[in-house]
């Protein structure tokens, strides 16, 4: 069974019907590539998934439990979902502080500083980012900032990572670093939903490809079916 399902998501902005009833099932350890023309509704769908946009109708079911549309950010507030492009690296914080930001002490006690550092270091290694925990984020290159956000997702036990054009604006070699990091995250059990205009990236990354057209799913393919043609 999928761990998260979107059922009949519909959303209009004024008279513009951005989503016309989208169904999407997401399973663990899988990468879903979302493709489609400009204006198809891809970003709106990502925001519905991430709890940033309240759909007009439809529901989200997480592990069999419907999540109220009145409170869609419940998934976010449980730390299930991370949308790096909606967050920013805090430049005046260190790498370590950025990774642990939002990972507040629980009622079980304050996380020990050494445990936080160890978790942060492990996450950096897993995404292939070679920087010191103590350096300020302001000293990082754009590609390193993106890798830092991916490390944060790992360190905070995010279940679903939503990436809207994660390689936008990066030259090919740096895009490759981001793609490699995403592949490593998949191997660590995250579900990844990935919007890209680059068919070659989608083919390289995706277990499933969902085509969105005029606010609806127009085609579903396996990643292998895409790879054959590219
Ligand atoms: P995509 O990501 O596939 O380019 P979007 O989800 O951004 O598509 O947009 C789908 C449609 O909804 C487009 O017609 C777009 O102009 C419209 N739209 C998106 N966001 C807004 C908004 N905040 N206000 C008004 N219209 C919007
Ligand atoms: P700049 O520093 O020029 O504003 P960056 O590429 O460094 O741009 O991005 C700023 C922040 O937004 C960083 O936290 C980066 O991780 C994040 N970010 C920007 N775009 C994306 C994206 N499409 N996917 C993932 N993270 C993104």
């Amino acid at each position: 069974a999928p761990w998260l399902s979107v059922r009949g998501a519909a959303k209009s902005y004024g008279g513009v019907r951005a989503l016309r009833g989208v169904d999407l099932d997401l399973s663990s350890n899988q990468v879903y590539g979302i493709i489609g023309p400009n204006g198809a509704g891809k970003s709106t769908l990502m925001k519905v998934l991430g709890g940033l946009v309240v759909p007009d109708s439809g529901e989200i079911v997480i592990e069999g439990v419907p999540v109220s549309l009145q409170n869609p950010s419940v998934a976010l507030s449980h730390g299930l979902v991370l949308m790096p492009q909606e967050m920013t690296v805090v430049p005046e914080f260190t790498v370590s502080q950025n990774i642990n930001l939002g990972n507040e002490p629980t009622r079980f006690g304050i996380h020990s500083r050494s445990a936080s550092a160890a978790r942060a270091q492990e996450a950096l290694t897993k995404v292939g980012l070679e920087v010191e925990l103590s350096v300020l984020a302001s000293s990082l290159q754009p590609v390193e900032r993106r890798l830092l956000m991916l490390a944060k997702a790992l360190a905070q036990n995010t279940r679903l990572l939503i990436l809207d054009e994660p390689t936008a604006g990066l030259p090919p070699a740096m895009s490759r670093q981001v793609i490699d990091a995403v592949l490593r995250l998949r191997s660590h059990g995250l579900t990844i939903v990935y919007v890209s205009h680059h068919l070659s990236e989608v083919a390289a990354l995706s277990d499933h490809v969902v085509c969105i057209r005029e606010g609806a799913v127009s085609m579903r393919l396996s990643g292998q079916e895409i790879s054959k043609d590219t």
Side-chain angles (χ1 to χ4, degrees), residues 59-69:
E59 65 176 2
I60 289 180
V61 180
I62 298 177
E63 286 173 338
V65 179
V67 171
S68 163
L69 290 180

Side-chain angles (χ1 to χ4, degrees), residues 32-38 40 42 165 194-199 201-203 206 208-213 216-219 221 226:
Y32 297 82
I34 310 287
I35 59 175
N38 273 336
K42 303 183 296 298
E165 300 281 352
Y194 182 93
V195 176
S196 178
H197 281 107
H198 300 287
L199 258 194
E201 269 180 31
V202 172
S206 305
H208 310 271
V209 179
V210 178
C211 310
I212 307 286
R213 199 177 184 92
V217 175
S218 64
M219 211 188 323
L221 299 166
I226 287 265

Side-chain angles (χ1 to χ4, degrees), residues 108-121:
F108 302 110
I110 297 171
H111 300 302
S112 83
R113 196 180 292 186
S114 61
S116 300
R119 196 176 43 234
Q121 184 57 60

Side-chain angles (χ1 to χ4, degrees), residues 13 16 18 36-45:
Y13 297 102
V16 178
N38 273 336
K42 303 183 296 298
S43 291
T44 303
L45 179 60

Side-chain angles (χ1 to χ4, degrees), residues 8 10 21 30 34 44 65 84 90 92 95 102 106 134 192 200 206 223 226:
Q30 301 281 297
I34 310 287
T44 303
V65 179
V90 182
E92 50 280 329
V95 164
T106 65
S134 57
I192 295 159
S200 59
S206 305
I226 287 265

